[in-house]
Structure formats: C-alpha cells, structure tokens
Amino acid sequence: MARIIGSMSASHVPAVGNAIARGLQEDPYWKPFFDGFTPAQKWLAEVKPDVAVVFSNDHGLNFFLDKMPIFAIGAAPSYPSADEGWGIPVNDPWPGIPPLSWHIANHVVEEEFDPVICQQMLIDHAVCLPMACFFEDCGRNKGYRPVKIVPVGINTVQFPMPSLKRCFEFGRAIGRAIESYPEDLKVVLIGTGGLSHQLEGERAGHLNKKFDTYCMDCIAGDPSPLLGLSNVDLVEQAGTAGLEFMNWMTMRGALLGEVREVTRTYHIPISNTAAAVQVLEQLPRLAAAAE
C-alpha cells in the first residue's frame, strides 16, 4: 500500500525562478532564503519519496477569473510549464502518475467532493519553483525529475473560495485515498504559497510575522484552532495573497497520523513576501486507525 511519509511547505515567489536562473543562491539578499531549504533537502535524501502530491493555486495558466474551480486534480501523464510573463525560464515537464491521480479523484468524489479532473494541465511557478528548491538538482538541471507528481489546485483567487475547514477536510479525503492505493509507494505532500503578503491596494507590502508563526505552530501541532477562521479573517491577518495558506491547510489535512516537525525557517521579506519552509514527518501508524 502507498504510505504518506510526511509533508513539506514553502512559499512560491516568481522572483525565485530568476534568482535560480542567474545563480544568485549565494547572493546576500537570496542566501537566507535558499539556505532555508537545506534541512529539507537532507530529509528528502534520507526518505527518498516516489511521488509528490503538490497543493498549489493556479496563476492563470489553466484557469482565470471567468472559470475558476474550487478544487482541481491533475490526471495527466506529464505536466509542462509555460511562460507566465514573469521572465522565468520554462523548464522540462514533470512526470505524472495517472493511476494514482484517478484513484484519488474517484475516492474524493465518493466522499462528496467535486473537483475538476484535468487530463491536461500546465504547472506554473507555484509548483515548479518549490520543487526546484526542495529537490536542489532540479534547479541545476531542469531535466532532472526524481519523483512523479499529482498536482492539486485550490482556488485562492476568486470568490467564492473554500474555507480553511473545507480545505482541511478535502485534504483528509486525499490522505485516505493515498493510503488506500494498492501500490507500494512513498508519498510526500507539498503545500506551496503564502505566507502573509499583499501585492496591491492600500495594504500592499503587508506582512504579519506573529500570525505566520501561529499558523506554522498549528500546522506542526494541532491545526484545529485554524478551522474556525473565515476567509475574511485570513485576509485581515495575512493579506489578500495570504489566502494561499489554504494550500498548506489542505496538505496538513492529508496527514492522517501523528507528526513530528523536522525543520522550519522563516525569512522576511523576499519580494514583499513572508517566505517560510516547514517539514513534517508522519510517524508510523496503522492507516486503519486514521479518522
């Protein structure tokens, strides 16, 4: 049976792609950001996952304001990137694993979620850049692909949006689906985006270290205090783009057992964003005991 070995979370910022392309990892501005991934890279080298289920939000390559699904699941054999207009180099595709994607999709529909199933799907900086940072050789060699991926998209852009509670419960359904998949696979969950930031309006540049720290504490321990927050609460605390924390919350929901925090880093600002990295390891348990 497939098993979830843990999770990794990281901010996604388009400027990171340009920094990687220009080899700025040791630049004084960028070094604290990139150094934050070193413990995660060491953990990955130890656990060696086969598949990454990546929770992110689309920035216009697949969906736009005229058609924005609440949830989407990729079920493609491969996932190419494309030009988003940021000047980020376009990388080689990441391989998919359609049988697992369809297993997840069928399972969550049985649990009364209604995602869009994408048999063709582009991936943008929200997937490509965290993957290049976690799997360091992907940043050096754009054709290196150590895992297959299942992209899961969450609407953090256009109202109406799912609540943190709904995202968490969607994640629970995905976690149950993964752990009922019959193939022997090690699966890592990746949540991208956030943390606090706002790029427009009177509060442009808004950051909230206290709230970000609180959220990371809850992700590492008991996430239930976050379930009562409304999207308005989240915007007030984390800024409009801080709604991307939904991706982290969906990821956390998919961790069905007890977890141990392996590492976390927090650095501000990177391109007007509170940049964070967090790794959780799921402790061994009986999958049947999960809720």
Side-chain angles (χ1 to χ4, degrees), residues 12 54-58 124 126-127 151-156 190-192 247:
H12 59 238
V54 187
F55 301 88
S56 68
N57 53 295
D58 182 75
D124 63 21
V127 175
V152 178
I154 297 142
N155 172 23
T156 70
I190 299 178
T192 86
N247 304 331

Short mmCIF file of all heavy atoms in Angstrom, two decimals, residues 12 54-58 124 126-127 151-156 190-192 247:
data_model
loop_
_atom_site.label_atom_id
_atom_site.label_comp_id
_atom_site.label_asym_id
_atom_site.label_seq_id
_atom_site.Cartn_x
_atom_site.Cartn_y
_atom_site.Cartn_z
N HIS A 12 5.92 30.37 -2.61
CA HIS A 12 6.29 30.40 -4.03
C HIS A 12 6.28 31.85 -4.51
O HIS A 12 5.29 32.55 -4.41
CB HIS A 12 5.36 29.51 -4.88
CG HIS A 12 3.91 29.86 -4.83
ND1 HIS A 12 2.92 28.97 -4.43
CD2 HIS A 12 3.24 30.98 -5.17
CE1 HIS A 12 1.74 29.54 -4.52
NE2 HIS A 12 1.90 30.76 -4.96
N VAL A 54 1.23 17.72 -4.85
CA VAL A 54 1.57 19.13 -4.67
C VAL A 54 0.29 19.97 -4.65
O VAL A 54 -0.46 20.00 -5.62
CB VAL A 54 2.49 19.62 -5.81
CG1 VAL A 54 2.97 21.04 -5.51
CG2 VAL A 54 3.68 18.68 -5.98
N PHE A 55 0.08 20.67 -3.54
CA PHE A 55 -1.09 21.52 -3.35
C PHE A 55 -0.70 22.96 -3.64
O PHE A 55 0.17 23.52 -2.96
CB PHE A 55 -1.61 21.39 -1.92
CG PHE A 55 -1.99 19.98 -1.54
CD1 PHE A 55 -1.05 19.11 -1.00
CD2 PHE A 55 -3.28 19.52 -1.73
CE1 PHE A 55 -1.39 17.81 -0.65
CE2 PHE A 55 -3.64 18.23 -1.39
CZ PHE A 55 -2.69 17.36 -0.84
N SER A 56 -1.34 23.57 -4.62
CA SER A 56 -0.98 24.94 -5.00
C SER A 56 -2.19 25.63 -5.61
O SER A 56 -3.27 25.04 -5.71
CB SER A 56 0.19 24.93 -6.00
OG SER A 56 -0.22 24.39 -7.25
N ASN A 57 -2.00 26.86 -6.02
CA ASN A 57 -3.05 27.61 -6.71
C ASN A 57 -2.55 28.04 -8.08
O ASN A 57 -1.39 28.43 -8.24
CB ASN A 57 -3.47 28.84 -5.88
CG ASN A 57 -2.31 29.72 -5.49
OD1 ASN A 57 -1.44 29.31 -4.73
ND2 ASN A 57 -2.29 30.95 -6.01
N ASP A 58 -3.44 27.96 -9.05
CA ASP A 58 -3.09 28.33 -10.42
C ASP A 58 -3.07 29.84 -10.57
O ASP A 58 -3.87 30.56 -9.96
CB ASP A 58 -4.12 27.72 -11.37
CG ASP A 58 -3.82 28.01 -12.82
OD1 ASP A 58 -2.90 27.38 -13.36
OD2 ASP A 58 -4.49 28.88 -13.40
N ASP A 124 2.73 26.08 -13.03
CA ASP A 124 3.41 27.37 -13.03
C ASP A 124 4.41 27.46 -11.88
O ASP A 124 4.81 26.43 -11.31
CB ASP A 124 2.39 28.52 -13.01
CG ASP A 124 1.52 28.53 -11.76
OD1 ASP A 124 1.90 27.96 -10.72
OD2 ASP A 124 0.42 29.16 -11.80
N ALA A 126 4.10 28.16 -8.93
CA ALA A 126 3.63 27.64 -7.65
C ALA A 126 4.01 26.19 -7.44
O ALA A 126 4.09 25.71 -6.30
CB ALA A 126 2.11 27.80 -7.57
N VAL A 127 4.26 25.46 -8.53
CA VAL A 127 4.73 24.08 -8.45
C VAL A 127 6.23 24.00 -8.76
O VAL A 127 7.01 23.42 -8.01
CB VAL A 127 3.95 23.17 -9.42
CG1 VAL A 127 4.54 21.76 -9.42
CG2 VAL A 127 2.48 23.13 -9.04
N PRO A 151 -0.56 17.07 -9.16
CA PRO A 151 -0.88 18.45 -8.77
C PRO A 151 -2.35 18.56 -8.32
O PRO A 151 -3.25 18.01 -8.97
CB PRO A 151 -0.65 19.26 -10.06
CG PRO A 151 -0.08 18.31 -11.05
CD PRO A 151 -0.45 16.94 -10.62
N VAL A 152 -2.55 19.27 -7.23
CA VAL A 152 -3.90 19.55 -6.74
C VAL A 152 -4.05 21.06 -6.65
O VAL A 152 -3.28 21.73 -5.96
CB VAL A 152 -4.14 18.90 -5.36
CG1 VAL A 152 -5.53 19.25 -4.84
CG2 VAL A 152 -3.96 17.39 -5.44
N GLY A 153 -5.01 21.59 -7.38
CA GLY A 153 -5.21 23.03 -7.41
C GLY A 153 -6.34 23.46 -6.49
O GLY A 153 -7.37 22.79 -6.38
N ILE A 154 -6.14 24.60 -5.82
CA ILE A 154 -7.12 25.15 -4.89
C ILE A 154 -7.36 26.60 -5.26
O ILE A 154 -6.40 27.35 -5.50
CB ILE A 154 -6.61 25.02 -3.43
CG1 ILE A 154 -6.46 23.53 -3.06
CG2 ILE A 154 -7.55 25.70 -2.46
CD1 ILE A 154 -5.29 23.23 -2.21
N ASN A 155 -8.61 27.01 -5.29
CA ASN A 155 -8.95 28.39 -5.62
C ASN A 155 -8.66 29.30 -4.44
O ASN A 155 -9.39 29.29 -3.44
CB ASN A 155 -10.42 28.48 -6.02
CG ASN A 155 -10.89 29.91 -6.20
OD1 ASN A 155 -10.09 30.81 -6.44
ND2 ASN A 155 -12.19 30.13 -6.10
N THR A 156 -7.61 30.09 -4.55
CA THR A 156 -7.29 31.10 -3.53
C THR A 156 -7.43 32.51 -4.11
O THR A 156 -6.96 33.46 -3.51
CB THR A 156 -5.86 30.91 -3.01
OG1 THR A 156 -4.93 31.27 -4.05
CG2 THR A 156 -5.59 29.47 -2.60
N ILE A 190 3.25 18.23 -0.56
CA ILE A 190 3.90 19.54 -0.66
C ILE A 190 2.83 20.62 -0.76
O ILE A 190 1.98 20.59 -1.65
CB ILE A 190 4.85 19.61 -1.87
CG1 ILE A 190 5.95 18.57 -1.73
CG2 ILE A 190 5.45 21.01 -1.99
CD1 ILE A 190 6.92 18.53 -2.90
N GLY A 191 2.85 21.55 0.18
CA GLY A 191 1.95 22.70 0.15
C GLY A 191 2.75 23.95 -0.18
O GLY A 191 3.79 24.19 0.43
N THR A 192 2.28 24.76 -1.13
CA THR A 192 3.06 25.92 -1.54
C THR A 192 2.23 27.19 -1.44
O THR A 192 1.01 27.16 -1.45
CB THR A 192 3.59 25.77 -2.99
OG1 THR A 192 2.61 26.22 -3.93
CG2 THR A 192 3.96 24.33 -3.31
N ASN A 247 -3.50 26.25 0.75
CA ASN A 247 -2.74 25.13 0.19
C ASN A 247 -2.03 24.35 1.30
O ASN A 247 -1.99 23.12 1.28
CB ASN A 247 -1.72 25.64 -0.83
CG ASN A 247 -2.35 26.44 -1.94
OD1 ASN A 247 -3.49 26.22 -2.31
ND2 ASN A 247 -1.60 27.40 -2.49
#
